[in-house]
Amino acid sequence: GYGNEPTNWMAGPSAVINTRPTVLITGPTNNATLGANQPITITASAADTDGFVQRVEFLADDLKVGQAVIPPFSLTWSNTSVGTHKLVARAVDNQLGATDSAAVYVNVLNYPPSVAIVTPTNGASYTLPASIVLEAAASDSDGTVAQVDFYATGIYVGSAYAPPFRFNWTSATAGTYLLVATATDALGARTVSDPVSFTVRTLPVVTNPVIAYAVNAGTIGSSAYNGGLGMDFDVMTNILVTRLGVF
């Protein structure tokens, strides 16, 4: 019938072709090395030629970790674990067309802490009985220091768990010691300090002392020396003076 006449043909609606958006991760750079526990800022550049970018989604290891809806498109990714991670930005336009960016890989490392002995100083000397203060300065650039352990000539003597990292060592015996401190961060990385050497001595034992003076408490006295020198003393308690020097 006339239905096949060209004059009776009706044109249908034309197909609308949506051009998908473009997207590129601008930060961090590919193969960047970052510290553990440090927030990572992911930024992306996105555009759409026949509409607008509705949102940019950010994926880490193929899992969505967040999105941005206005430029500049960025996200702060926290609580990153140690290892290599794959980052992708997905741009979605106003007609729901989507494009994934090229992947960017980042390496998250746990940097070890730093530690140095504050006291004793190298070459220090102590006389028994002694309470020896062991102290170290420790810090961690990408986290926290969990503890500092002290070792005297390879023997563990004590630990400190918060700054100032200090331990009072009261059980030392006479000898020369090589002290090191080890700092351990919250993720288990350890650093050993440079060693410090110090000496612990005993008081000399006086056998058969010669009593030069026996002075009662409260006595104020003096003694002349035939060379023309003298000495004065004020004694508050009973003591034995075993040696007097005149200079």
Side-chain angles (χ1 to χ4, degrees):
Y2 73 92
N4 289 327
E5 293 292 331
T7 55
N8 294 316
W9 293 351
M10 297 182 64
S14 60
V16 177
I17 299 175
N18 178 33
T19 302
R20 294 186 179 186
T22 58
V23 61
L24 172 71
I25 291 180
T26 56
T29 58
N30 193 41
N31 292 322
T33 298
L34 307 166
N37 297 318
Q38 299 299 299
I40 299 174
T41 299
I42 312 171
T43 57
S45 173
D48 190 57
T49 59
D50 60 351
F52 60 89
V53 176
Q54 185 183 79
R55 66 181 183 273
V56 172
E57 301 174 351
F58 295 96
L59 293 82
D61 302 323
D62 299 321
L63 297 176
K64 182 179 176 180
V65 293
Q67 66 181 33
V69 296
I70 57 173
F73 300 103
S74 67
L75 172 77
T76 300
W77 181 33
S78 302
N79 301 318
T80 55
S81 59
V82 172
T84 300
H85 298 280
K86 172 187 172 185
L87 304 179
V88 171
R90 175 175 296 157
V92 181
D93 67 15
N94 58 305
Q95 296 187 64
L96 301 184
T99 302
D100 285 357
S101 70
V104 166
Y105 293 87
V106 294
N107 303 302
V108 177
L109 303 179
N110 179 29
Y111 294 106
S114 61
V115 59
I117 294 174
V118 176
T119 58
T121 56
N122 198 50
S125 179
Y126 300 88
T127 300
L128 292 175
S131 178
I132 303 172
V133 177
L134 310 180
E135 182 176 344
S139 60
D140 191 50
S141 63
D142 60 353
T144 57
V145 176
Q147 70 184 74
V148 172
D149 303 313
F150 296 96
Y151 295 85
T153 316
I155 305 300
Y156 169 78
V157 296
S159 299
Y161 301 93
F165 297 100
R166 184 182 298 155
F167 177 80
N168 290 329
W169 188 24
T170 59
S171 59
T173 57
T176 298
Y177 295 92
L178 202 63
L179 179 72
V180 297
T182 63
T184 305
D185 70 14
L187 295 178
R190 297 175 72 242
T191 300
V192 181
S193 73
D194 291 333
V196 166
S197 177
F198 66 95
T199 303
V200 179
R201 297 184 174 90
T202 57
L203 284 171
V205 178
V206 179
T207 59
N208 299 319
V210 176
I211 300 175
Y213 289 90
V215 183
N216 293 325
T219 300
I220 299 177
S222 64
S223 178
Y225 174 62
N226 58 13
L229 300 177
M231 69 192 88
D232 294 324
F233 46 85
D234 184 351
V235 181
M236 302 305 297
T237 59
N238 293 334
I239 62 170
L240 291 179
V241 180
T242 60
R243 179 177 299 176
L244 291 175
V246 180
F247 302 96

